[in-house]
Each structure stands twice: as structure tokens, then as C-alpha cells.
């Protein structure tokens, strides 16, 4: 079992170019299925979740080739519409293949990605939207069987601006007859990036980034080339590591506008933040201070995915910070592990109260989910002494060579095989979805 061994207390300094966004590339890979043509996807990060998507595409009949950070998908040869359970289980966003497979083949047979480590994650909005477009969907236990004689454009009002539902419906709508209007759509930058990809393949999609997305279906779809957006959550994580370690770090390849709620927190905590259109530099000015309440919210609010890394940075602050997690009901699992590093954090329901401590200390901890795991790395970098972070199968889902990126900034971090066999700490598994 691999672990990250981190000797904390090093000041991070330097400049990095952030990876392509996990939450963009996954819907884009599903979208590549829809065209039946060749998609050249640049700035594609090498992540476990990307491999999982690639495995699904290959199973469906696509051919894939990687050339450096470019992934080339030919979805011409698709010859099946089922996704086996083990591939569905690899990650939550496999659900995006529902809209894509259905749109492409007229049928889809797959299983629910199910509950996961952040609390229940229903897909009722995905299903009701697809039904409104003319899909027949039968559910037996966790198996979904979907078919359609032809999807039709329609008006869909989402009750929650769900990222996944918005993306699934956009994919299906590209092959539907007529116009689809998605109201109360998610406004995340990754939705805008998906729109960019769909347009590049010839689809007519407007409005992404606003609450109304309009897709005119049945346009001829062709070969295309698209570069994936920079990852604002990975960027937020590296800025959190800089803030926690008293550092000075520039993150390039990400829009400062996509990070404004996160950088606003670090400014309030006492850091100097300087933004260019596609880079952000954070300079720490000593120990962080506690900040006003941090409420997670759909974009343009503070991202739930940045909650754990930012909380980890503030664990060693002067004063108190209250977090309110409004998106997922069980997203404080990292708190127990942060406490092992010496953090003083109490949780009750959706609220977590961080009392800053003078210093964190090294400990053995285990990632229980992707962003929580990133939070543990941030805390360990700031801690006095040596830490070991296990559960890398979660972190590797969303961070491309996290140890290489951080080591280049001066962190004392290495990936190694663990020789310990603490059954509780290093237990395998957990749910890899997210
Ligand atoms: C996406 C991101 C994830 C991020 C999340 C919120 C990807 C691959 N994942 O996940 O990293 O944490 O957005 O920004 O992009 N909901 C329903 N019914 C539905 C769908 C969602 O009730 O049919 C609820 C969820 O339980 C949750 C909220 O809506 O409480 C937001 O979920 P959603 O935006 O769909 O998140 P994901 O697309 O799963």
C-alpha cells in the first residue's frame, strides 16, 4: 500500500501550471461518445477517474490514444450500450454516460453509481429530465434500463442546480429532435467548458454559465479539438498549501475569476493575493487569522470541493472559523483525521467550528475521500514533524502527481510503499466515487 510521507514545516515557494480540470474532463469524455467522430482532448490530466472513463469508453467500442497530455477518442466504432457494474462503481461521474450512451445508441443499460462518501447522492433530476425528453427508464434495484425511440427537446426545470444533471441533459439534448431548455441549470465553469467542447463538435448550445442553457438538437456532429479548462479546485488546494505553510506560490493556467471566493477567504485570513487573468499568486504574511463564516454553495458561491483544503489551512490559524456545508450532508469525514494532526474542530450536522491551534503535529492519517484527502496533505505540510497519509486511491482520482507538484515547490514529500500494517489506518477500499 502506498502512502505519502510528509515532513511538514517547509515554506512552499514557486510557480506551477495547474492540471486540466477533473470535473471538466469527465463530462467531456462522456460527451466524446455522442459525436461518433474523433475528439482530440488537450490538457487532459492523468487521473484515476480519467482512466475509469477511458475504460468505459473502450468497453463501449471507442478507441483511445494518449499523446502526452492529449487524449484522442474515436467514438465511431461504438457497438454496445451497456456499462458493467464494476466500471460504474469506479466513480460517481460514470452517471454522465447515461445521457451520452442513450443519446448515441437509443438505449442504455447501466447501474446506479449509488451512495458514497459524501452522503446520499440521488440522480432523480437526471432521470426525470431524460424522461421528459422521451426516455423510458426502468429501474430494478440498482440497475437502470433505458431506451428511446428518439429523444425530443423540451423545457426542463431543475429543482436544484445540479452539475451532473445539467451535464447529462446537455449531452442528451445534442441528439434530441428540437430545442431543449434547461432552467435553473448549474453555472459552474466546467459547464461552460462542456459547452465549448460540444460547440467544437458542431452542437448548438447557448447560455452555459447562466441559469438557462439552450440546446438545439440534431445538428451534425464532427471531429473536434478542445483544450480542457484549468482545475480551479486543484489550484485552490495548492493555494491552501501555500497559505498553510507561510509560502509564496503562483498558480498558472486557471482563471482568477473561478477562484475568487477561495482567494477572498485567504485575503481575509491575512494573505496577499495578486491575480492576473489566468494566474493567481498567494503570499502568506505570517500566521493565518480565522475568517467570517464559510458557506458552501453552488457556483459562483464557495465550492464544496474546496471546503476541506481551506479548512485544513485554517486549522492552524489564530482565532475561529465556522464552516457551513450546504451541498452534501456528510462532508466532514476529514475532520476526524485532521484532529489526529492536532486540529481542534467540532462538527454538528452541517456546521464545523475550527478553533485555530498554535501548531499541528505530524501523525498517521487516512484519506476517506478525494478532497478530504487533499485537506490532509495541506495540514501535514504545515504540521511540525512527520506525517503519513494513506488512502491515496482517493487522492489519485483528482490530483495528477500531487507529490511531484508539491516537491517542486519545496515540500518534503514522497510517495512510498508503507511498511506499517495498522489495519485500521491502512484498511483498503472505502468508496472511490466522488
Ligand atoms: C459535481 C462535482 C463534484 C462537486 C459537486 C458540487 C463532478 C464530476 N463532480 O458533482 O466534485 O462536489 O458537483 O459542486 O463534476 N442532487 C439531487 N438530485 C440529483 C442530483 C443532485 O438531489 O438528481 C443533489 C445532490 O445530492 C447534492 C446537490 O444536488 O446535494 C449537488 O449535486 P450535484 O451538483 O449534482 O453534484 P455532482 O454533479 O454529483
Amino acid at each position: 500500500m502506498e502512502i505519502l510521507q510528509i515532513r511538514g514545516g517547509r515554506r512552499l515557494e514557486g510557480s506551477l501550471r495547474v492540471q486540466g480540470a477533473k470535473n471538466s474532463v469527465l463530462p467531456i469524455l462522456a460527451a466524446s461518445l455522442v459525436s461518433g467522430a474523433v475528439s482530440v482532448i488537450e490538457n487532459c490530466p492523468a487521473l484515476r477517474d480519467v482512466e475509469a472513463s477511458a475504460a468505459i469508453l473502450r468497453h463501449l467500442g471507442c478507441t483511445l490514444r494518449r499523446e502526452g497530455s492529449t487524449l484522442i477518442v474515436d467514438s465511431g466504432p461504438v457497438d454496445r450500450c451497456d456499462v458493467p457494474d464494476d466500471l460504474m462503481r469506479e466513480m460517481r461521474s460514470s452517471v454522465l454516460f447515461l445521457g451520452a450512451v442513450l443519446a448515441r445508441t437509443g438505449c442504455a443499460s447501466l447501474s446506479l453509481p449509488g451512495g458514497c462518501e459524501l452522503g446520499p447522492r440521488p440522480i432523480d433530476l437526471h432521470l426525470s429530465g431524460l424522461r421528459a425528453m422521451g426516455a423510458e427508464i426502468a429501474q430494478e434495484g440498482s440497475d437502470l434500463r433505458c431506451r428511446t425511440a428518439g429523444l425530443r427537446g423540451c423545457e426542463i426545470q431543475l429543482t436544484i442546480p445540479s452539475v451532473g444533471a445539467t451535464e447529462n441533459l446537455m449531452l442528451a439534448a445534442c441528439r434530441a429532435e428540437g430545442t431543449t431548455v434547461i432552467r435553473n441549470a448549474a453555472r459552474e465553469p466546467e459547464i461552460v467548458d462542456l459547452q465549448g467542447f460540444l460547440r467544437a463538435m458542431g452542437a448548438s448550445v447557448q447560455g452555459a454559465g447562466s441559469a438557462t442553457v439552450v440546446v438545439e438538437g440534431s445538428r451534425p456532429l464532427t471531429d473536434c479539438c478542445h483544450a480542457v479548462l484549468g482545475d480551479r479546485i486543484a489550484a485552490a488546494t495548492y493555494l491552501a498549501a501555500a497559505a498553510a505553510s507561510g509560502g509564496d506560490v503562483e498558480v498558472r493556467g486557471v482563471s482568477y475569476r473561478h477562484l475568487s471566493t477561495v482567494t477572498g477567504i485567504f485575503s481575509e485570513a491575512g494573505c496577499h493575493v495578486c491575480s492576473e487573468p489566468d494566474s493567481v499568486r498567494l503570499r502568506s504574511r505570517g500566521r493565518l487569522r480565522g475568517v467570517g463564516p464559510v458557506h458552501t454553495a453552488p457556483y459562483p458561491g464557495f465550492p464544496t470541493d474546496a471546503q476541506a483544503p481551506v479548512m485544513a489551512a485554517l486549522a492552524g490559524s489564530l482565532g475561529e472559523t465556522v464552516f457551513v456545508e450546504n451541498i452534501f450532508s456528510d462532508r466532514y469525514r476529514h475532520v476526524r483525521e485532521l484532529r489526529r494532526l492536532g486540529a481542534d474542530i467540532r462538527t454538528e450536522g452541517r456546521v464545523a467550528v475550527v478553533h485555530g491551534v498554535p501548531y499541528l503535529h505530524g501523525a498517521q492519517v487516512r484519506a476517506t475521500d478525494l478532497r478530504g484527502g487533499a485537506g490532509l496533505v495541506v495540514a501535514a505540510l504545515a504540521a511540525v514533524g512527520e506525517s503519513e497519509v494513506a488512502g491515496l486511491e482517493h487522492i489519485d482520482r483528482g490530483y495528477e502527481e500531487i507529490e511531484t507538484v508539491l516537491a517542486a515547490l519545496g515540500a518534503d514529500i514522497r510517495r512510498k510503499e508503507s511498511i506499517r500494517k495498522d489495519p485500521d489506518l491502512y484498511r483498503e477500499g472505502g468508496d472511490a466515487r466522488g
Side-chain angles (χ1 to χ4, degrees), residues 247-425:
D248 179 354
V249 169
E250 178 195 47
V251 181
R252 292 174 286 115
V254 66
S255 165
Y256 75 96
R257 283 182 291 113
H258 299 162
L259 279 167
S260 61
T261 49
V262 173
T263 52
I265 299 281
F266 287 125
S267 297
E268 191 182 338
C271 299
H272 185 264
V273 179
C274 169
S275 301
E276 299 286 331
D278 66 351
S279 72
V280 175
R281 178 176 174 189
L282 181 146
R283 264 176 290 169
S284 158
R285 291 191 290 198
R287 194 170 164 202
L288 299 179
R289 296 189 299 267
V291 297
V294 180
H295 294 260
T296 65
Y299 192 83
F302 182 87
T304 174
D305 286 355
Q307 178 247 105
V310 171
M311 179 184 288
L314 290 168
S317 66
L318 197 63
E320 190 180 281
T321 302
V322 174
F323 284 81
V324 183
E325 172 54 58
N326 292 309
I327 307 295
F328 294 110
S329 59
D330 186 14
R331 203 164 199 184
Y332 287 136
R333 293 207 192 177
H334 50 281
V335 167
R336 197 187 75 160
E337 303 297 304
L338 287 174
R339 287 196 197 115
R340 294 174 82 121
L341 290 155
D344 178 0
I345 305 173
R346 277 175 296 133
T347 58
E348 202 179 317
R350 291 184 176 274
V351 176
V353 182
V354 179
H355 295 276
V357 293
Y359 64 92
L360 301 172
H361 53 74
Q364 291 163 28
V365 290
R366 183 177 195 286
T368 53
D369 62 87
L370 166 59
R371 305 301 174 187
L376 298 180
V377 172
V378 168
L381 289 168
V384 175
E386 186 175 298
S387 295
E388 290 184 354
V389 181
L392 303 193
E393 69 276 14
H394 296 293
I395 296 173
D396 291 340
R397 288 187 35 231
Y399 294 87
E400 190 174 29
E401 295 193 29
I402 191 169
E403 70 279 14
T404 311
V405 174
L406 290 166
L409 298 173
D412 186 342
I413 179 170
R414 62 182 55 84
R415 183 181 292 252
K416 56 178 241 182
E417 241 353 271
S418 168
I419 46 165
R420 289 181 214 271
K421 291 285 171 231
D422 177 337
D424 175 44
L425 201 58

Side-chain angles (χ1 to χ4, degrees), residues 23 92 121-126 160 162-164 305 327-328:
N23 288 354
R92 158 83 186 181
R121 291 175 79 171
I123 58 162
D124 53 307
L125 300 173
H126 305 234
I160 299 171
S162 157
V163 175
D305 286 355
I327 307 295
F328 294 110

Side-chain angles (χ1 to χ4, degrees), residues 56 59 82-91 94 109-114 140-144 431 433:
I56 293 176
H59 170 84
D82 68 300
V83 182
D85 191 48
D86 56 327
L87 293 179
M88 285 301 289
R89 279 179 179 282
E90 272 292 307
M91 57 171 182
S94 55
S109 172
L110 37 80
S111 52
L112 289 174
E140 248 178 65
S142 66
D143 290 334
L144 289 174
D431 211 318
R433 295 162 213 145

